[in-house]
Every structure is written in structure tokens, then in C-alpha cells.
Amino acid sequence: MPASRRHASGRRASLWCWRSRMSAWRRSGERRFAGAYSATRRLVAHPDAGSAVADLIVMTWNVENLFHPEDTDASAAETYAAKLAYLAGLISGTGADVVALQEIGSPAAVEDLRSALGAPWHAVVSSHPDGRGIRVAVLARHALAEEAQIVALPQAGLPAVPDVDGGTLTHLGRGAVQVHVDCGGPGLRLLTAHLKSKLLTYPGGRRYPRIEDERPRGAGYALLRRTAEAVALRVHLNDVLAAAAVDGQPGMPTILCGDLNDGPDAVTTVVLEGPADGDINRPDNGDAVRLYNLGRCLPPARAYSRIYQGHGELIDHILATRDLQLRQVSIDSLVDDITSIGASTRSREAAIVPDHAPVLARFTGL
């Protein structure tokens, strides 16, 4: 056989193998989670209406550095295609209706994932990434309307906090997004955010301290920034929830979700819940603006969304208003595929499965 024909044949075989692996990744995601969630697509009767409506499944997922690769990097392109297939397969397998995403590298990456999912998915993407270019986004099977890009630290919150380089921070490191999901009835208001990580940085962008005093200062600066970002979200929620309230109750089903980069009992997470509640079954004056962290209902063996140095931690959260908490059917963290990570990110460059598990909740009668 002539060399040119052998090379062409080799390229065709390589392409066939590559496409087969992509299909396998997608089928793997669909099969792994379809069994547990296929029943969630059933129709149920709304308690306040005679018609039947579908359950609603909401997912939040940090998909870890989903960057569209450069055209000249064939290896990165193959990894990217495999990752898209895995993400789309898992999302499809769970039957999710709305997916809040973190660590999206560009609007093109969202479009690639939307295309992999197929019709009728819609997307809204933050226009305020961080210095690395990562941002948040929302995908939904239903029509989406962007309502707000949340960027500034408000005057009613902590409008200015010190930065590690000696400057002053007045904006979220990564902008949050608020959308309206047209899923029937009043619809759903959803906000997604990605708060400051626990990874410490030092003056000049260093990842290590030169003197030991820099270590506690770096941790303090990171905590101040995450606190200011959480307070900014809570102040924003106070406004929009109070404005929509009806007779002291939530007037619009609302969810805040995303990578909050701390556990459910951390101050920066608890502040997002608003006023504490003694009994969800007894209405009170805080109902209109209160959120409930649904992660507190996770099965103990699955109450984590990332494994860091061998220890599970729940840092990806779904918080919901009282009306949604009362309609919650289930919540899960799909931890089956994730593995433990360390401080170094170099080993993650070719990873197909993200380092965070998707967390998803199902609500009935919306």
C-alpha cells in the first residue's frame, strides 16, 4: 500500500477511535445517572391547580476550567471534546432542567456545551470573568431572561475591602448572574455565583509566602474578600426578595446556587441564608427574604462536593426560598466520579471529569 494511503487510513482509524471515545464518555454519563433520575421527568399535579406540571430539577456544577482550546493544540482539543461529551452525558442523564455553571472559560465554551446538549437549551453567560478568564453561566431547557449582572460591592454591604497588593477591592472577583427561568407559572428566579476560593495568593501574585507573617495576612485577605462577596449577594437578595414578597411570603420562587468555596456552617455561607428559622412549618416575618440551604438534607455519606487532600467538603450549594423548600423532593451530590485533588493544578490540565461533583435538587409542582 502506498505511504499516502497508509497515512490516510491511519488518520481515518484515529478519527474513528476518537469519535468512539467521545460517544463512550457521553453514554457513560447518561447511563450512570439516568437510572436514578429518569423517574423525575414524570408529571405531577400542582396542589393549587387542576392541570399537571412537570417536576423541576436544578443543578449547580463547577466544571473546572472549561476553556475552548486553541486550534493548534490537538491534544487539548481531544481532551476538551471528551469533557464536553462527559458533561453533556451527565446533564442529560440526570434530566436536569436548569444548570448553573462555574469556571466557564468563555462564552464559546458555553455555546459548545449547549450545542452538545442539543435543542432546546438556552444560555446566559456572565460578562464579568476574573483575571484567569473564568466566569459563571446558566443553561436551561426553558426560555431564559437575564435580569442582573451582580458585580459591585454595594454601599449597603462592605463596599471596600483591602487587597493583598495594598489596593482596595470594590467589585466581586467574578461577577454573579441573575436570570428568570420561564418554567411555567411565575417561573423561577435563579442566581449563580463563584465566591473567592480558599487558595491563597500573596503580593505580586505569588502562591507562597516569603515570610511567615504573610501566611496569616494572605488568609485574612482571602476571607475578607469572600465575606464581602457574600454580603454583596445577601444585600442584593434582600432587595429583590422584599420587592417580590406577597403577604409576607416569597412572591417569586428563588434559588441562589454555585461554588461558595466554604462549608454550610461557615459564616460566609450562613450569611446568605438571611434570618434564622426555628420551624419552616410556621410562617414568620422572615419568610419573604429567607433562604434555606438544601445541602443540609444531603445523605451523610454523600454530603460533599469536592475531595481535597482526601477529605470531602461541601462547598457547592443550593439555597432556596421557603416555597421551594416545601416542594423539595430530593437533593443529591453526584460524587461517584470525582477523585481527591491537592493544591497543585498542573495535574488537572488534562482532566476530563471535573474536580467538583454536581449538586442537584428536585422540586415538585412548579
Side-chain angles (χ1 to χ4, degrees):
M1 180 184 296
S4 59
R5 291 182 60 189
R6 287 199 303 272
H7 291 162
S9 177
R11 285 194 298 271
R12 286 194 297 270
S14 296
L15 182 59
W16 180 85
C17 291
W18 177 77
R19 287 174 174 169
S20 296
R21 289 198 296 272
M22 301 309 101
S23 297
W25 273 110
R26 175 156 187 149
R27 289 195 302 270
S28 173
E30 289 174 344
R31 284 197 304 267
R32 182 180 291 273
F33 300 103
Y37 291 95
S38 59
T40 64
R41 306 305 303 161
R42 70 184 186 280
L43 295 180
V44 297
H46 192 292
D48 298 323
S51 60
V53 295
D55 287 7
L56 188 76
I57 302 173
V58 177
M59 173 188 290
T60 184
W61 198 359
N62 181 324
V63 292
E64 189 184 13
N65 295 325
L66 189 65
F67 283 92
H68 189 95
E70 297 181 2
D71 294 338
T72 57
D73 193 336
S75 177
E78 182 172 344
T79 299
Y80 179 72
K83 186 169 184 174
L84 286 176
Y86 174 80
L87 299 176
L90 189 146
I91 291 170
S92 298
T94 62
D97 298 286
V98 186
V99 183
L101 300 165
Q102 300 85 48
E103 292 206 17
I104 293 293
S106 69
V110 176
E111 180 59 25
D112 290 340
L113 181 54
R114 191 195 66 79
S115 297
L117 289 164
W121 287 86
H122 307 272
V124 169
V125 186
S126 170
S127 56
H128 299 279
D130 68 6
R132 290 198 297 129
I134 60 172
R135 69 198 76 206
V136 301
V138 180
L139 288 170
R141 297 178 187 269
H142 307 277
L144 283 176
E146 179 185 311
E147 292 187 334
Q149 300 254 353
I150 305 160
V151 183
L153 300 178
Q155 288 298 317
L158 300 174
V161 295
D163 186 22
V164 67
D165 283 313
T168 301
L169 299 173
T170 59
H171 294 79
L172 279 70
R174 292 173 281 260
V177 165
Q178 175 181 316
V179 301
H180 180 267
V181 185
D182 186 8
C183 53
L188 172 73
R189 177 196 292 126
L190 183 139
L191 296 84
T192 187
H194 185 184
L195 301 189
K196 172 68 180 81
S197 76
K198 295 180 181 180
L199 293 175
L200 303 184
T201 55
Y202 301 95
R206 283 182 284 113
R207 291 288 187 181
Y208 58 90
R210 285 179 176 162
I211 59 173
E212 198 52 37
D213 284 350
E214 282 190 336
R215 192 185 308 277
R217 282 205 305 271
Y221 284 129
L223 182 57
L224 282 171
R225 177 170 160 182
R226 188 160 61 252
T227 300
E229 292 176 344
V231 170
L233 291 175
R234 185 64 240 186
V235 167
H236 176 83
L237 284 162
N238 287 341
D239 291 341
V240 297
L241 291 171
V246 176
D247 297 328
Q249 292 297 309
M252 170 70 69
T254 298
I255 283 176
L256 167 66
C257 60
D259 179 357
L260 304 184
N261 264 310
D262 220 331
D265 294 321
V267 171
T268 54
T269 307
V270 173
V271 72
L272 293 167
E273 298 180 22
D277 186 25
D279 184 355
I280 190 174
N281 295 308
R282 296 179 58 184
D284 62 44
N285 292 333
D287 286 344
V289 296
R290 181 182 294 118
L291 297 178
Y292 296 84
N293 192 334
L294 307 186
R296 299 184 186 279
C297 300
L298 280 166
R302 300 171 70 83
Y304 61 97
S305 59
R306 189 178 75 161
I307 307 171
Y308 185 71
Q309 296 183 346
H311 300 284
E313 52 184 13
L314 181 61
I315 61 176
D316 301 271
H317 300 271
I318 300 177
L319 292 83
T321 44
R322 181 173 183 265
D323 48 353
L324 288 171
Q325 167 78 330
L326 292 171
R327 295 176 183 271
Q328 178 191 335
V329 175
S330 62
I331 183 166
D332 198 5
S333 182
L334 306 185
V335 298
D336 307 80
D337 290 348
I338 63 171
T339 56
S340 182
I341 64 167
S344 174
T345 59
R346 187 177 299 275
S347 63
R348 304 293 306 170
E349 292 177 356
I352 292 172
V353 177
D355 56 348
H356 290 240
V359 178
L360 70 164
R362 179 163 65 97
F363 306 94
T364 189
L366 292 180

